[in-house]
Each structure stands twice: as structure tokens, then as C-alpha cells.
Amino acid sequence: MARKVTGRHVVISTAGAWIAGFVIFFPILWMVLASFKTELEAFATPPSFLFFHWTTENYVTVQERSDYLHHALNSLIVAGGSTLIAMLIAIPAAWSMAFSPTKRTKDILLWMLSTKMMPPVGVLVPIYLIYKNLGLLDTRTGLVFILCLGNLPIVIWMLFTYFKEIPKDILEAARMDGATIGRELIYVLTPMAIPGLASTLLLNLILAWNEAFWTLNLSTLEAAPLTTFIASYSSPEGLFWARLSAASTLAIAPILIIGWFSQKQLVRGLTFGAVK
């Protein structure tokens, strides 16, 4: 018997959702507002929320001091490249684990996920030395490679979960019709798992875009993405909160826009297979 939902419950649930959403979004809102303040107003106590002298001086200063387009292009190439390579590797890997499992499949998946449990700083020194000897320091190729390896376990786990929801009978029917493994992947499996593939791609893109540890330690200037661009506004002289907020706003703007327009696809993919 279905549980009856009263108007009071709807109002309370809606109010709670709005409050939780506002609490989560408030730091981003505060950062955007601080980017339009002067440095004195950004440090003012008590802080002003809306009633202050609005200025775009911080954005002008950021553009004059740093090459935003160069860093944004690096972020786009590094995040996009690592995501595409991870997807190309993860799709056949997840397919083999989902439809041709062995006794060790679960152990392999657990081992892959366990690599995300180790703090990245634990392998910083060997990775840095390897990159130095191979000439990969401060290169886009090096960042693409390390971010791809870092996010690959999550990508394979997500795709494995989505592929498990697809009936095996459909793939067996394709094989009986003479479909090769390549055609099965491209023409049968991929179209059926588009929601899951899209959500995995978007999540991986966001993770790669926001990655700070490896980008800060393995890049300096030529391949520096937007995370390094933000960190450049932290100096020994102190933090310039207004300029730092302006730089942070510019850094999150592209991925925020992408996430806003693709939120329906992301939610659809994350709930893929939840309802039978």
C-alpha cells in the first residue's frame, strides 16, 4: 500500500531541500560576491553581503597579471584528453568484466578501487623522479597521463555498474547474428549505455578539471592549468581575497556552465538502472 503524502510533508521536504541546497551553494555565492569587492571590503568585519561598492577591478587585474586563456586551454586539453583516454580504456575493460566475468573479477575491481584509498602524496616522489627523467615535467602529456591513471578506477567501476544493468540476451542475440566484438561494443552496447557513459564522462571531466595536487606539483608554467592559475594568487605577502575570488570564479565558470546544461543527463545517468 502506497504511503500517503500530505501537503505538510511536501512543504517541509521542499523547504529542507532548499535550505540544504543554499548551504551547499553559499560558499560559491560568497566567492562570486567577494570577487566584486575591493580588498578592504573583502576583509571587512562584519562582512557585507550585498551592500558594498561593486567593482570589476579584480577581474581586470587578474587578466593583466595572468594569461587566463592559456591556463584555460591547458585545463581543457588536460581534462578533456585524460577523460577521453580513460573512456577508451574503461569501456572495453568494463565490458569484459560485466559480460565475461571470472572468479577474480571482484578481486580485480576491489584492487583497482583500493588504489584510490592511498594518499597521492605517498607516491609523489617516485612519480616526480620518473617524470623528471622522462622529460614529462610541466607538459600536457604528463598531466593527461597521470590524471587518466588517477581517475581510471572510478571510470571502470561506474561503467561496470551500468553495463551490468544491460540484459545479456541482447548481446548474445547480436553475436548469433554474426556481430564481432568491435561491432558489439560500438553498435549494440554503447547506444544502450549512453546515459551511463555520459554521466561517467561528465563526472570524470569534473574530477580532472578540479584536480589540484598533481597539477600543482607536476607543472609550473607551460602546462599549468587553472588550478595553478588560482594558486598563483597565494603569496608570502599574504592572501588577496578579492583577487583570489575573481581568479577562482573565472576558473570554475567553464565547468559550472557545462554542469548546468548537462545536469539532466548527469542525473539520468547516475540513476540508470535504478528502476526496473
Side-chain angles (χ1 to χ4, degrees), residues 207 210-217 227:
L207 291 175
N210 293 332
E211 175 59 43
F213 180 81
W214 291 115
T215 55
L216 289 176
N217 286 284
T227 48

PDB file of all heavy atoms in Angstrom, residues 207 210-217 227:
ATOM      1  N   LEU A 207      36.213  15.869 -12.278  1.00  0.00           N
ATOM      2  CA  LEU A 207      37.305  15.466 -11.393  1.00  0.00           C
ATOM      3  C   LEU A 207      38.660  15.892 -11.952  1.00  0.00           C
ATOM      4  O   LEU A 207      39.533  16.374 -11.214  1.00  0.00           O
ATOM      5  CB  LEU A 207      37.281  13.951 -11.186  1.00  0.00           C
ATOM      6  CG  LEU A 207      36.103  13.389 -10.378  1.00  0.00           C
ATOM      7  CD1 LEU A 207      36.149  11.862 -10.366  1.00  0.00           C
ATOM      8  CD2 LEU A 207      36.108  13.921  -8.953  1.00  0.00           C
ATOM      9  N   ASN A 210      39.127  19.742 -11.723  1.00  0.00           N
ATOM     10  CA  ASN A 210      39.348  20.247 -10.368  1.00  0.00           C
ATOM     11  C   ASN A 210      40.594  19.682  -9.696  1.00  0.00           C
ATOM     12  O   ASN A 210      40.908  20.083  -8.568  1.00  0.00           O
ATOM     13  CB  ASN A 210      38.130  19.937  -9.488  1.00  0.00           C
ATOM     14  CG  ASN A 210      36.899  20.708  -9.922  1.00  0.00           C
ATOM     15  OD1 ASN A 210      37.015  21.794 -10.484  1.00  0.00           O
ATOM     16  ND2 ASN A 210      35.731  20.152  -9.665  1.00  0.00           N
ATOM     17  N   GLU A 211      41.281  18.753 -10.342  1.00  0.00           N
ATOM     18  CA  GLU A 211      42.466  18.152  -9.738  1.00  0.00           C
ATOM     19  C   GLU A 211      43.526  19.214  -9.470  1.00  0.00           C
ATOM     20  O   GLU A 211      43.934  19.961 -10.365  1.00  0.00           O
ATOM     21  CB  GLU A 211      43.039  17.070 -10.661  1.00  0.00           C
ATOM     22  CG  GLU A 211      44.335  16.459 -10.180  1.00  0.00           C
ATOM     23  CD  GLU A 211      44.209  15.803  -8.818  1.00  0.00           C
ATOM     24  OE1 GLU A 211      43.198  15.107  -8.574  1.00  0.00           O
ATOM     25  OE2 GLU A 211      45.123  15.985  -7.985  1.00  0.00           O
ATOM     26  N   ALA A 212      43.976  19.284  -8.232  1.00  0.00           N
ATOM     27  CA  ALA A 212      44.945  20.311  -7.854  1.00  0.00           C
ATOM     28  C   ALA A 212      46.290  19.725  -7.438  1.00  0.00           C
ATOM     29  O   ALA A 212      47.332  20.319  -7.729  1.00  0.00           O
ATOM     30  CB  ALA A 212      44.387  21.169  -6.713  1.00  0.00           C
ATOM     31  N   PHE A 213      46.289  18.578  -6.763  1.00  0.00           N
ATOM     32  CA  PHE A 213      47.541  18.058  -6.210  1.00  0.00           C
ATOM     33  C   PHE A 213      48.583  17.803  -7.296  1.00  0.00           C
ATOM     34  O   PHE A 213      49.709  18.305  -7.232  1.00  0.00           O
ATOM     35  CB  PHE A 213      47.267  16.775  -5.422  1.00  0.00           C
ATOM     36  CG  PHE A 213      48.508  16.163  -4.824  1.00  0.00           C
ATOM     37  CD1 PHE A 213      49.025  16.657  -3.635  1.00  0.00           C
ATOM     38  CD2 PHE A 213      49.165  15.125  -5.459  1.00  0.00           C
ATOM     39  CE1 PHE A 213      50.182  16.106  -3.089  1.00  0.00           C
ATOM     40  CE2 PHE A 213      50.308  14.574  -4.916  1.00  0.00           C
ATOM     41  CZ  PHE A 213      50.821  15.061  -3.735  1.00  0.00           C
ATOM     42  N   TRP A 214      48.209  17.014  -8.303  1.00  0.00           N
ATOM     43  CA  TRP A 214      49.178  16.651  -9.336  1.00  0.00           C
ATOM     44  C   TRP A 214      49.516  17.831 -10.237  1.00  0.00           C
ATOM     45  O   TRP A 214      50.666  17.987 -10.650  1.00  0.00           O
ATOM     46  CB  TRP A 214      48.653  15.486 -10.170  1.00  0.00           C
ATOM     47  CG  TRP A 214      48.586  14.199  -9.418  1.00  0.00           C
ATOM     48  CD1 TRP A 214      47.474  13.486  -9.093  1.00  0.00           C
ATOM     49  CD2 TRP A 214      49.688  13.464  -8.877  1.00  0.00           C
ATOM     50  NE1 TRP A 214      47.806  12.365  -8.384  1.00  0.00           N
ATOM     51  CE2 TRP A 214      49.156  12.318  -8.242  1.00  0.00           C
ATOM     52  CE3 TRP A 214      51.064  13.662  -8.870  1.00  0.00           C
ATOM     53  CZ2 TRP A 214      49.964  11.382  -7.611  1.00  0.00           C
ATOM     54  CZ3 TRP A 214      51.868  12.726  -8.238  1.00  0.00           C
ATOM     55  CH2 TRP A 214      51.321  11.604  -7.616  1.00  0.00           C
ATOM     56  N   THR A 215      48.546  18.660 -10.537  1.00  0.00           N
ATOM     57  CA  THR A 215      48.812  19.799 -11.416  1.00  0.00           C
ATOM     58  C   THR A 215      49.740  20.816 -10.754  1.00  0.00           C
ATOM     59  O   THR A 215      50.567  21.433 -11.424  1.00  0.00           O
ATOM     60  CB  THR A 215      47.503  20.485 -11.830  1.00  0.00           C
ATOM     61  OG1 THR A 215      46.758  20.845 -10.651  1.00  0.00           O
ATOM     62  CG2 THR A 215      46.651  19.556 -12.671  1.00  0.00           C
ATOM     63  N   LEU A 216      49.606  20.985  -9.439  1.00  0.00           N
ATOM     64  CA  LEU A 216      50.458  21.931  -8.737  1.00  0.00           C
ATOM     65  C   LEU A 216      51.888  21.411  -8.589  1.00  0.00           C
ATOM     66  O   LEU A 216      52.836  22.194  -8.566  1.00  0.00           O
ATOM     67  CB  LEU A 216      49.894  22.238  -7.349  1.00  0.00           C
ATOM     68  CG  LEU A 216      48.613  23.073  -7.303  1.00  0.00           C
ATOM     69  CD1 LEU A 216      48.111  23.209  -5.869  1.00  0.00           C
ATOM     70  CD2 LEU A 216      48.853  24.454  -7.900  1.00  0.00           C
ATOM     71  N   ASN A 217      52.046  20.091  -8.489  1.00  0.00           N
ATOM     72  CA  ASN A 217      53.368  19.520  -8.262  1.00  0.00           C
ATOM     73  C   ASN A 217      54.097  19.122  -9.541  1.00  0.00           C
ATOM     74  O   ASN A 217      55.324  18.977  -9.527  1.00  0.00           O
ATOM     75  CB  ASN A 217      53.256  18.280  -7.356  1.00  0.00           C
ATOM     76  CG  ASN A 217      52.973  18.635  -5.912  1.00  0.00           C
ATOM     77  OD1 ASN A 217      53.853  19.078  -5.183  1.00  0.00           O
ATOM     78  ND2 ASN A 217      51.727  18.463  -5.492  1.00  0.00           N
ATOM     79  N   THR A 227      44.026  25.376 -11.980  1.00  0.00           N
ATOM     80  CA  THR A 227      44.311  25.182 -10.557  1.00  0.00           C
ATOM     81  C   THR A 227      45.603  25.893 -10.160  1.00  0.00           C
ATOM     82  O   THR A 227      45.689  26.493  -9.089  1.00  0.00           O
ATOM     83  CB  THR A 227      44.425  23.682 -10.235  1.00  0.00           C
ATOM     84  OG1 THR A 227      45.284  23.064 -11.208  1.00  0.00           O
ATOM     85  CG2 THR A 227      43.070  23.010 -10.281  1.00  0.00           C
TER      86      THR A 227
END
